[in-house]
Amino acid sequence: MPSPYPPMFDARVKAVLGPTNTGKTHLAITRLLAHASGIIGFPLRLLARENYDRMVAAKGEKHVALITGEEKIIPPEAKWFACTVEAMPLDRRAEFVAVDEIQLCADPDRGHVFTDRLLNARGMVETMFLGAETIRPLLQRLVPQAEVETRPRLSQLTHAGPQKLTRLPPRSAVVAFSAAEVYAIAEAIRRRRGGCAVVMGRLSPRTRNAQVALYQNREVDFLVATDAIGMGLNMDVDHVAFAALQKFDGHQARLLNAQEAAQIAGRAGRGMRDGTFGTTGDCPPLPDEIVNKIEAHNFEALQTLAWRNGELDFTSVDALLDSLAAPPPQPGLSKGHDADDHITLSMLARETEMRALASSRSRVALLWEACQVPDFRKLADDTHVRLCGRIFKHLAEDGVLPDDWIAGQIALCGSTEGDLDTLMARLANIRVWSYVAARADWTRDAASFQAEARKAEDAVSDALHERLTARFVDRRAAHLIRRLDDSEGEELLSAVTRKGEVVVEGHTVGRVEGFLFHPEAEAATEEERKLVLRAARRALREEMPRRVAALEVAKDDVFALTGSHRITWNNHGELAEVGRLRPGPEPAKPLVEVIPSEFLDGAQRERVRARLAKFIEGVFGRELAILTTVEAKAEAEGALRGPAYLLRESLGLAPGGTEGNIAPDLRQKLKAIGVRAGRYALFVPEALKPRAMALRAQIWSLIRNIETPALPAPGLVALQLREPEEGEANPQPPAGWPSGFAQAMGWLPAGPVLLRLDVAERIAGELAYLTRRAPAPPPSDLASRLGVKADMLGVALTALGFRLLEPVPLEEGQYGPPMPLRVAQPRPQHHQHQRGPRPGGHQGQGHRDGQRQGPREGQRPGGGPRPEGQPPRRHEGRGPEGRPEGRHEGRHEGRPPRDRDRRPMREPREAPPPPPPPLPPANSPAMIFYGPPIPPELRRAVPQPQRRGGPGGPPWQKGGQHRQDGPRRPDQPRGPRPDRPPRDQEDRRDRPAAAAKPPEPRGPDPDSPFAVLAQLKLR
């Protein structure tokens, strides 16, 4: 169909023609990547995948897309597309468009797709067609504006005649045209020449690449393939041998024509290296006419190109069939064979149910899309027709395909059991369902189905590669290193497999893991055993330098640390321990030791140690780079160097509170350089990240020479404390953690849980701000944030340095709102600067402006009675100079005494007072949780209102008590009153509160809302 976006100017159309090995594809890829966007179509999925990898290497994965019938990798920022010709997105505007192997326009089965691209696919700036010289006349007639360029072959191609399989030179490819022939030839080569790789069009790209790697890496010297290698698959082949000259083209068995034979023979000789071709086995010799044409690259021009109408009529099923049968519009075009989609449509059109469902233009178009599902299985029955009909029925009735149906079919295809033919049949079936899953408009979750199909294809591909290798590769010959001469002059064959098996004369004598050899061979006699082991050691002396070189150039992601402080190396799937860690001069600089091996000399061992040390240094540089940054910033000020050094020694987290030894200004400076001086630790937040925590756990355990404990899953903020059950093999963290490990890793004990340090610091900061003046209700989600149940919240808060104040129920006769659950900060009694009650004042009367209320006379500040015989403390009641409690001299330290503050000196005591006791625990009754309590008067029943101004009225009313019941006025001097001589403490305690008459009980202000509420309740 023509492009929906015609170019604004005549774009350049160019045809690059010539034989194989002329660099046409390389030129097209270069031109494609030189444009801002481009699309290139290839005849095979394998070829599209191979060039996609090349484009990714040049432009990056996020800018390159792959589109085939079964696989779609389309990043959002994709600019360059590698596709099969059928899957080219012609609705996408691109500056450059190219089609490879354009001579396939003459193919009677697929040619109509290539012809459509020749006539309609155009780039906005440049269009390029690549192919053989045979299409030149027709191309110039159908595309007259095209520029034609002919490129010569870079190397010579010579006929070598027939040869036996046993005489084929190394680096040869044997070509057959059926799976049975490929298997038979591969088995013969394995028996006589040691093994071969197998490449067929039915293989997945993953299996094909693995087999080609066997050949390209020279693990085998022979390749057996079908004619799929003729379509641009580039390998280092020096000789191509035809095992047959006849192929089945899907309709009949026929002889190869000269152009097809040249396309296959042209795989020999790549670049500037010459190649040869011939026949082998039971294949008859090539006719001289074909040989001359191949060597001279001289072939008859194509007479017609396959064509099919692209302007389809979807008004009805019959109209669609008629438009598909339309004749070619001009000379040089002819109808080819009916394609699979056309045949499927014609068969479904015979069914009444399908015609009834295809009742509209959109339904007919949907039926055509269902018929275009490729038939990769080629079962020669109606299985594929039934599948297409079921797909159309689901889409027409339900709109999408059933999820369980797709998932079940993909799951059935994922089995890896069976022989080669069974696995190849599964691969073909997976390709069908990969095509279905790639249709996003057919499924609810196309991405997940594509992933499942890709996973199943990879599993079957790997299994198929293993079966092919096990059947057609002889490990003894494939991994031959050299022939060894023993002391008696006998020649021994030895090799090392990719799995690390050391094979000598076909016998497995041991395994090599990393740089260690583990012998496990048992010979008939001791002499034979010694001889075999000596040959194996000599083979490993050649293998070890290769491994050392591979380890030196390996990336960091192939190394890993184990819980036992070993360094492992993943060498192409072989996981082996190659080094160990030892404690170093600093925690961040552990030492690296290479595991001793008799196959490594001193220089090789040092090369391995240097590479492993670089890996460890890189791990610290990535995960704990913040420590280096902090130290660099701390150099500017001396006060910051100490905390920075402490963090370096503790790998970013030093447990223990910092409020006592880090001043607030220094705390702010540390915060500016990324360090947190918290309530519970000095740390950098980056140290709590999962990878950094795993590294710190490794070093912490290394210093203590223990196994690294398991860490919790990333993202957890609270861990339930529990003991490991008896017989539990791998208890979940933190069960089984050694003492001190949790705190060192940044997990703070908080009652029944371990709380992550940053979460604990954040919650403690919020609670401290919330209760900075008085106890306050806790946040509603506090228990969930701490990871505890509601009944354990008090224990967790106590561990964090707070206290949960349970609500006290109202006594009988009391009114008002109930006391809520509150959180408070503890203050020790000998650290409280709290004003006590004055003599003569009322116990329940609080100070104005919300000031704190002191303890009662004769009562300890913590709320309990003083033990008998214990002298009152300095801050209980009044001080030694008659001042109220809480006005001690510590408030005015550092300034000279004023005249009005001078007091008569007391006589010295016989013995100094005992030192103040240590701080009690947070849950002790001796701890005072400060804040204004609710006055008891507001909880009592409201008495009858009294006359204002009476003796029992408030102090700010006329006739009430003033100085004794309220705080001192700013203009009132401290110390003894001038009109009253000082009296001893006992007299003050016994003096009544008022001189006129005993105080009368007083109630709250009758105008207060509480009094009004009480009056309403009493009525």
Side-chain angles (χ1 to χ4, degrees), residues 209-254:
N209 292 340
Q211 288 291 306
V212 169
L214 284 176
Y215 180 82
Q216 292 291 90
N217 296 338
R218 296 184 179 270
E219 296 184 49
V220 293
D221 282 331
F222 299 93
L223 177 72
V224 180
T226 61
D227 56 346
I229 67 169
M231 293 297 176
L233 298 181
N234 299 320
M235 289 166 287
D236 297 331
V237 177
D238 294 336
H239 178 77
V240 172
F242 290 90
L245 298 178
Q246 192 177 48
K247 64 175 291 187
F248 182 76
D249 61 3
H251 301 275
Q252 60 181 355
R254 61 174 179 82

Side-chain angles (χ1 to χ4, degrees), residues 48-117:
R49 182 74 195 205
E50 176 182 331
N51 286 277
Y52 165 78
D53 294 335
R54 292 173 55 190
M55 294 161 63
V56 166
K59 291 296 185 178
E61 190 173 358
K62 66 179 182 179
H63 297 302
V64 181
L66 172 67
I67 303 179
T68 66
E70 311 92 291
E71 190 173 12
K72 286 182 174 60
I73 303 175
I74 308 177
E77 302 178 11
K79 299 179 181 178
W80 298 278
F81 292 75
C83 320
T84 53
V85 175
E86 289 84 350
M88 292 176 66
L90 298 182
D91 57 342
R92 183 183 294 268
R93 305 184 68 178
E95 291 188 2
F96 179 85
V97 172
V99 180
D100 195 13
E101 306 294 350
I102 195 62
Q103 76 275 2
L104 288 179
C105 289
D107 183 76
D109 294 313
R110 300 175 61 201
H112 65 276
V113 179
F114 286 81
T115 303
D116 178 78
R117 304 299 182 258

Side-chain angles (χ1 to χ4, degrees), residues 561-576:
L561 286 170
T562 67
S564 56
H565 316 299
R566 300 296 181 99
I567 304 175
T568 61
W569 175 35
N570 188 346
N571 182 22
H572 301 291
E574 174 194 327
L575 193 64

